[in-house]
Amino acid sequence: MIQFRYQINEGMPIRQLILFGLQWFLATIPMVIILGKVGAAFHYPQSPELQLIYLQKIFFITGVSMFVQLIWGHRLPIITGPASVLLIGIVANAHAVEETAVYNSIAVGGLLLVLLAVTGLLARVGRLFTPRIIGVVLLLIAFTLLPTVVNLVTTGKDQLFAQLVFAGLLFASMLTGQRYLPETLRSTIIIWALFFGSFIYHFCFFTPALQTPITVTTAEAWRLFPKAFTFDPVVMLSFVFCFLALLINELGSIQTTVSLVSQADGLQRTTRGVLVTGLGNLFAGLIGVVGPVSYSLSTGVIIASGCASRYPLIPAAAALAALGFLPFVIQAFSFIPSVVVGTLLFYMLCSQVAGGLGILAPDMASFRFNTGLIIGVPVMLGTVVAFLPSHVAEAIPAMVRPLLMNGFVVGVAAALTMEHVLLREKS
């Protein structure tokens, strides 16, 4: 068992509280910025004001969700952030249906998580998630977001080759750091890549550092609640698959951390954690942003720092929520170029692939052809759908387009069908 300097419910001197809190705050910031900027750009490509408001809301919902989890939810040292799997649903439906239908579906998905937690059905649904399904889901999240990475890295028409070279060098530098840096620095490598990558890009390409100041008052920002409730059953069904993956992520993050910090009440913490995550997604859908989920990278931060106490995360959560009311601070993130955002997202997705392969490793050790089909066919189908050109999408009936043009939905549906129906193993 790992010995930590501070246990899960152990207090500490104010100096250590601030230092460890700053560490958790900095570990959360890159994911909020990267996923928030991607979601905002899809909905409001021509409106910096609305993009800023979107980021404000994401910071607020992230901070509030993390704070409630620490005080009342799973009560574990786990950071919360926007769910990349919900970003898949947003990207797939952004140009096909009304924005309100997308975020109303996220709100309904959050409500479904709440019902699973309070009715005791969580354990039954969990039986669908065999190790092979979990591994395939992690791979699909990475592969079906690749078109988004390509769009970010190749944005703009000027100096395209130079941008590709810059992205390659930045990615190679991160891999080198992952190999040679001390463990403490490896856990924060995305932060350093975000900072130095942005600085070097602006220095090399002579781009303006910041945009013209945007004047958006807090009152105006929080006026953007949905104008009406728009329910689209096909969009909702596509988000049901996304929320199945989100649930896998939530369960994995909580249960891994419970095991790491040696807590005996894992079932109770898991139920409360899923309940709070459901409420967070319900609220996020109502205010029109990506919903939150617990991040599994928290265990790496715990091990690297030697601190398993949940208390330093409380000021970090409060600081994240406060940023939601400080648009002038969030606007500074406009300094981050799209090519840097795309490169860091690609690095995060590579980590996702590594996690999926780690879960699939036992099955691959005793490899059988059917196992390869259950893994390979869904990943290939999902990737093909993700890269289908726009004219193919237009040929598909609008009613079913949100399902059939969502590579993640197609891949997960194929994995579930093959695992539990077509290639189901005999008892």
Side-chain angles (χ1 to χ4, degrees):
M1 186 176 70
I2 301 176
Q3 296 296 322
F4 298 108
R5 293 171 59 187
Y6 299 101
Q7 300 303 320
I8 185 169
N9 292 316
E10 187 176 354
M12 62 191 68
I14 187 66
R15 181 173 178 273
Q16 277 74 18
L17 184 71
I18 293 173
L19 289 176
F20 285 125
L22 180 61
Q23 170 189 260
W24 286 108
F25 177 76
L26 293 176
T28 311
I29 283 286
M31 273 67 73
V32 180
I33 296 171
I34 293 168
L35 298 178
K37 284 175 72 72
V38 173
F42 261 90
H43 286 303
Y44 316 113
Q46 305 300 326
S47 176
E49 293 84 1
L50 294 182
Q51 290 184 28
L52 177 60
I53 291 169
Y54 193 93
L55 279 171
Q56 284 184 256
K57 291 182 177 182
I58 281 197
F59 271 101
F60 178 74
I61 195 68
T62 298
V64 170
S65 298
M66 188 188 304
F67 186 84
V68 176
Q69 287 283 24
L70 293 165
I71 300 299
W72 184 81
H74 51 57
R75 303 179 74 194
L76 293 167
I78 303 176
I79 58 177
T80 299
S84 58
V85 68
L86 296 184
L87 189 62
I88 294 173
I90 292 172
V91 170
N93 295 295
H95 306 298
V97 296
E98 292 184 29
E99 178 189 338
T100 52
V102 170
Y103 288 105
N104 290 158
S105 296
I106 290 179
V108 173
L111 183 60
L112 290 176
L113 290 185
V114 172
L115 293 176
L116 286 177
V118 299
T119 59
L121 293 175
L122 190 59
R124 293 187 180 182
V125 175
R127 293 171 190 167
L128 291 173
F129 307 144
T130 64
R132 281 188 291 215
I133 294 295
I134 295 173
V136 168
V137 164
L138 293 176
L139 294 178
L140 280 169
I141 292 173
F143 281 90
T144 53
L145 276 175
L146 283 178
T148 302
V149 171
V150 173
N151 290 334
L152 288 168
V153 172
T154 59
T155 184
K157 298 180 180 179
D158 299 328
Q159 301 177 309
L160 184 55
F161 178 70
Q163 285 187 187
L164 293 174
V165 171
F166 176 85
L169 291 174
L170 178 60
F171 183 70
S173 299
M174 296 180 72
L175 292 180
T176 304
Q178 186 67 32
R179 170 66 178 85
Y180 292 105
L181 288 176
E183 188 172 10
T184 305
L185 291 179
R186 286 204 303 267
S187 63
T188 57
I189 195 167
I190 294 179
I191 302 170
W192 303 115
L194 189 69
F195 177 78
F196 288 109
S198 300
F199 179 81
I200 294 171
Y201 181 87
H202 287 294
F203 179 79
C204 293
F205 291 87
F206 303 104
T207 57
L210 291 174
Q211 301 173 352
T212 304
I214 302 171
T215 56
V216 178
T217 67
T218 302
E220 288 172 336
W222 295 107
R223 202 175 293 162
L224 290 183
F225 279 78
K227 299 179 179 65
F229 186 83
T230 306
F231 181 76
D232 187 318
V234 180
V235 175
M236 180 65 246
L237 184 56
S238 72
F239 272 98
V240 166
F241 284 89
C242 294
F243 271 94
L244 284 176
L246 184 146
L247 181 58
I248 290 174
N249 196 336
E250 186 71 25
L251 294 175
S253 299
I254 294 175
Q255 292 171 3
T256 302
T257 308
V258 164
S259 176
L260 180 66
V261 298
S262 304
Q263 296 298 300
D265 55 347
L267 180 59
Q268 185 180 8
R269 290 179 185 271
T270 300
T271 302
R272 289 203 308 262
V274 171
L275 175 59
V276 172
T277 295
L279 292 172
N281 279 275
L282 173 60
F283 184 47
L286 291 177
I287 66 175
V289 292
V290 182
V293 72
S294 298
Y295 280 2
S296 57
L297 61 85
S298 304
T299 54
V301 179
I302 295 170
I303 294 172
S305 64
C307 175
S309 174
R310 61 189 169 96
Y311 291 118
L313 280 82
I314 294 176
L320 288 168
L323 281 179
F325 299 96
L326 299 172
F328 61 92
V329 176
I330 295 178
Q331 193 187 352
F333 300 141
S334 62
F335 177 78
I336 304 169
S338 294
V339 64
V340 174
V341 174
T343 305
L344 298 188
L345 180 58
F346 182 66
Y347 180 85
M348 291 164 59
L349 296 181
C350 288
S351 301
Q352 192 100 6
V353 170
L357 293 176
I359 292 174
L360 293 170
D363 276 322
M364 302 307 291
S366 56
F367 180 79
R368 288 176 295 175
F369 185 70
N370 282 0
T371 300
L373 286 178
I374 292 172
I375 297 169
V377 170
V379 172
M380 292 295 289
L381 279 175
T383 306
V384 166
V385 171
F387 278 96
L388 285 177
S390 57
H391 71 270
V392 176
E394 295 171 359
I396 297 174
M399 182 176 294
V400 295
R401 195 178 301 159
L403 281 178
L404 300 184
M405 285 304 296
N406 188 327
F408 180 79
V409 170
V410 171
V412 172
L416 290 170
T417 302
M418 296 183 71
E419 173 79 345
H420 296 292
V421 181
L422 296 181
L423 299 180
R424 183 179 180 181
E425 296 181 355
K426 296 180 180 180
S427 301

